């Protein structure tokens, strides 16, 4: 409950002056200027009636938010005796009245030698209040205005209070009856002028959501996005995501999602409608971090997601990610494409070789469990496979159990589609290669061809693509076509966006001079 401005608004002036209060004695001059029209020698003025204690200001008061009231509509009492009317306000002209504002000091009233029988009492030198005081601080405004002279009438005998209460009660009942009758009449005649509320013609499940909206895309894609549970032979495992690739029951996901189940483990796939299927690994590619699994007894009504063209994606395009972050299946998040061709190296956490990708970067929320799920464009086409996040827990890319910080990475679908099709055909991945070993150090000057290859082999394969293009150990590759190469992992990720047989232009440095050469990419089958 908001308490903003509570106690600062000025309540409206009452329609009649409040009951008189005892006022301190004032000078003869003050009496002369502030008393009513009582003529000298006409006898003593009528005695004032006994003031009634105001329940509006009594006690301390507490707002419904559980905080102490500050003198607004809840009002505070300031000791015994008559209270200020309406929210702690001092009666107009009351001398040394308790301050209404809680931040102002409370001054006890001065002792008086005799009460002033006139109304209003002498004007105070200073009366603290919220905003402007009633009637300009108690000054007269004419015979009929608030703050004008007022003569207390003589008290009437018997029954006056009871009649007043009865009259007020009768007025309340009449007003209540009128209000009820008027409300019934307005409702019966459907008179819209009595209300400013507007009711929707449709709501909830009755609303038709256009295909291009986030809700429309999610409604179409969710039935074809699955939650994958992988378990190794030793009982270890985890949860990830995948999506329907074809009507034969193939599901595409990340390699690191199913890595635990590759050798003798178990796989289960759950659809959003709750149906669960056993599955098996068809093929997996550690380097690409792509895997294909197949449902056992696949249903006949599978609807594959439409694959887009990741080459046509632009920075700033809308994205929609679907997955099971931390096991929360069927979670939909949105964002944009933050960058393209982002070099990323990740691992499945099992100590196997790293994966390299020239990734789509997105700020759509991606967490552990989103891996393998689809990254969609605004039309619902798959443009990538969510694969890695920037982890604050380990300072790098991978599967560290950290939350989303807006840096997620997806394998472009053009690359993943090619890999998946190869896995379905042969069960093994096929990689493009240049036939040279490069340093994997994180540098910014380029990808340097090492002096020696793995396990003591040649750094440049004899008769391979690099050898035929004239590359030698010590050369530093700085570009592949128009892509800037700043390190070995960047070069590998960029090469793997191509297919074997593609022709590329290599820019490299040798002995301080920049050179270029044409190279036809070779192929390598399998991860070993």
């Amino acid at each position: 409950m908001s308490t903003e401005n509570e106690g600062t608004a000025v309540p409206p002036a009452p329609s009649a002056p409040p009951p008189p209060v005892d006022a301190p004695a004032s000078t003869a001059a003050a009496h002369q200027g502030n008393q009513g029209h009582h003529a000298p020698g006409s006898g003593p003025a009528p005695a004032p009636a006994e003031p009634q204690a105001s329940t509006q200001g009594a006690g301390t008061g507490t707002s419904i938010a559980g905080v102490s009231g500050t003198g607004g509509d809840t009002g505070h009492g300031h000791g015994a005796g008559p209270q200020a009317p309406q929210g702690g306000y001092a009666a107009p002209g009351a001398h040394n009245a308790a301050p209404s504002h809680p931040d102002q000091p409370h001054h006890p009233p001065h002792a008086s030698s005799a009460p002033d029988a006139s109304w209003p009492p002498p004007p105070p030198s200073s009366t603290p209040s919220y905003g402007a005081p009633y009637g300009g601080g108690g000054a007269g405004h004419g015979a009929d205005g608030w703050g004008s002279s007022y003569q207390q009438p003589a008290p009437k005998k018997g029954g006056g209070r009871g009649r007043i209460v009865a009259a007020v009660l009768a007025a309340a009942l009449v007003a209540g009856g009128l209000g009820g009758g008027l409300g019934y009449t307005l409702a019966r005649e459907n008179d819209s002028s009595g209300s400013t509320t507007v009711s929707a013609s449709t709501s909830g499940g009755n609303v038709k959501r256009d295909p291009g909206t986030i809700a429309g895309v999610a409604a179409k894609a969710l039935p074809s996005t699955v939650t994958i549970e992988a378990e190794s032979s030793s009982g270890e495992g985890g949860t990830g995501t995948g999506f329907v690739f074809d009507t034969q029951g193939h599901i595409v996901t990340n390699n690191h999602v199913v890595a635990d189940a590759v050798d003798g483990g178990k796989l289960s796939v759950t659809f959003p409608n709750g149906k669960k299927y056993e599955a098996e690994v068809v093929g997996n590619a550690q380097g690409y971090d792509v895997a294909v699994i197949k449902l056992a007894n696949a249903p006949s009504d599978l609807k594959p997601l439409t694959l887009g063209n990741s080459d046509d994606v632009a920075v700033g395009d809308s994205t929609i990610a679907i997955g099971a972050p931390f096991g929360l299946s069927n979670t939909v998040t949105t964002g944009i494409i933050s960058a393209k061709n982002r070099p990323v190296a990740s691992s499945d956490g099992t100590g196997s070789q790293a994966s390299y990708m020239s990734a789509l970067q997105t700020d759509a929320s991606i967490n552990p469990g989103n891996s393998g799920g689809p990254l969609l464009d605004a039309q619902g086409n798959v443009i990538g496979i969510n694969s890695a996040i920037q982890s604050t827990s380990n300072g790098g890319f991978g599967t560290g159990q950290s939350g989303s910080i807006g840096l997620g990475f997806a394998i472009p679908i053009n690359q993943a589609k090619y890999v998946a099709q190869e896995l379905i055909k042969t069960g093994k991945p096929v990689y493009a290669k240049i036939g040279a070993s490069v340093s994997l150090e994180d540098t910014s000057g380029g990808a340097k061809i090492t002096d020696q290859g793995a396990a003591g082999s040649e750094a440049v394969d004899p008769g391979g693509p690099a050898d035929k293009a004239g590359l030698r150990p010590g050369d530093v590759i700085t570009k592949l076509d128009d892509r800037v190469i700043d390190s070995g992992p960047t070069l590998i990720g960029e090469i793997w966006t191509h297919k074997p047989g593609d022709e590329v232009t290599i820019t490299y440095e040798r002995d301080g001079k920049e050179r270029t050469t044409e190279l036809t990419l070779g192929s390598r089958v399998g991860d070993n």
Side-chain angles (χ1 to χ4, degrees), residues 69-410:
T70 55
D73 293 337
T74 55
H76 288 298
H78 294 283
Q83 303 297 322
Q86 292 299 324
Y89 273 82
H95 186 60
N96 287 331
S100 299
H101 198 288
D103 294 335
Q104 294 175 345
H106 181 102
H107 298 290
H110 296 297
S112 59
S113 57
D116 186 354
S118 64
W119 181 262
S125 58
S126 174
T127 305
S129 65
Y130 295 122
Y134 295 142
H141 292 280
D144 297 326
W146 175 252
S148 61
S149 298
Y150 173 75
Q151 183 69 33
Q152 178 73 22
K156 297 181 180 181
K157 295 183 180 180
R161 180 181 177 92
R163 284 193 296 272
I164 292 174
V165 172
V168 171
L169 179 60
L173 291 175
V174 171
L178 289 174
L182 180 60
Y184 171 77
T185 302
L186 291 176
R188 182 185 62 184
E189 296 179 359
N190 195 23
D191 186 354
S192 60
S193 63
S195 174
T196 59
T197 59
V198 178
S199 298
S201 57
T202 58
S203 63
N206 295 324
V207 176
K208 182 179 179 181
R209 292 173 173 84
D210 295 332
T213 63
I214 294 173
V217 170
K220 183 178 179 181
L222 274 169
S224 299
T225 304
V226 300
T227 300
I228 301 172
E229 295 181 17
E231 183 179 330
S232 67
S233 56
S234 61
E236 298 178 351
T239 301
T241 308
F243 62 91
V244 177
F245 187 69
D246 58 27
T247 57
Q248 286 71 47
H250 291 110
I251 305 293
V252 171
T253 185
N254 282 139
N255 171 69
H256 72 259
V257 169
V258 301
D260 288 328
V262 169
D263 297 320
K266 295 180 181 179
L267 278 178
S268 63
V269 173
T270 305
F271 283 79
N273 61 9
K275 293 184 178 180
K276 193 171 185 177
Y277 299 86
E278 299 299 317
E280 61 178 1
V281 178
V282 172
N284 62 303
Q286 292 181 353
Y288 290 122
D289 196 15
V290 174
V292 175
I293 63 177
K294 187 174 182 180
L295 304 177
N297 302 317
S300 59
D301 59 348
L302 290 176
K303 295 181 179 180
L305 292 184
T306 303
L307 305 184
N309 186 348
S310 52
D311 290 340
D312 292 341
V313 172
V315 173
D317 282 351
S318 297
T319 58
I320 301 170
I322 303 180
F326 299 102
L328 301 174
S329 300
N330 314 317
T331 296
V332 177
T333 57
T334 64
I336 62 169
I337 293 293
S338 304
K340 294 180 63 177
N341 307 308
R342 185 71 77 191
V344 174
S346 64
S347 172
D348 62 9
T350 62
S352 61
Q353 67 185 47
S355 301
Y356 300 97
M357 68 184 88
S358 183
L360 297 175
Q361 180 181 325
T362 180
D363 66 348
S365 182
I366 296 175
N367 291 283
N370 276 105
S371 291
L375 183 69
L376 309 170
D377 62 17
Q379 287 71 46
N381 304 313
V382 181
I383 55 175
I385 300 177
N386 301 317
S387 301
I389 60 174
Q390 176 71 39
S391 172
T392 56
S393 62
N394 58 26
F397 305 118
T399 56
Q401 294 292 306
S402 62
S404 172
I405 59 173
L407 293 172
F409 305 95

Side-chain angles (χ1 to χ4, degrees), residues 26-38 116 118-124 138-141 147-150:
S26 50
T27 62
H31 278 285
Q32 193 70 25
N34 291 282
Q35 282 184 336
H37 299 287
H38 178 65
D116 186 354
S118 64
W119 181 262
H141 292 280
S148 61
S149 298
Y150 173 75

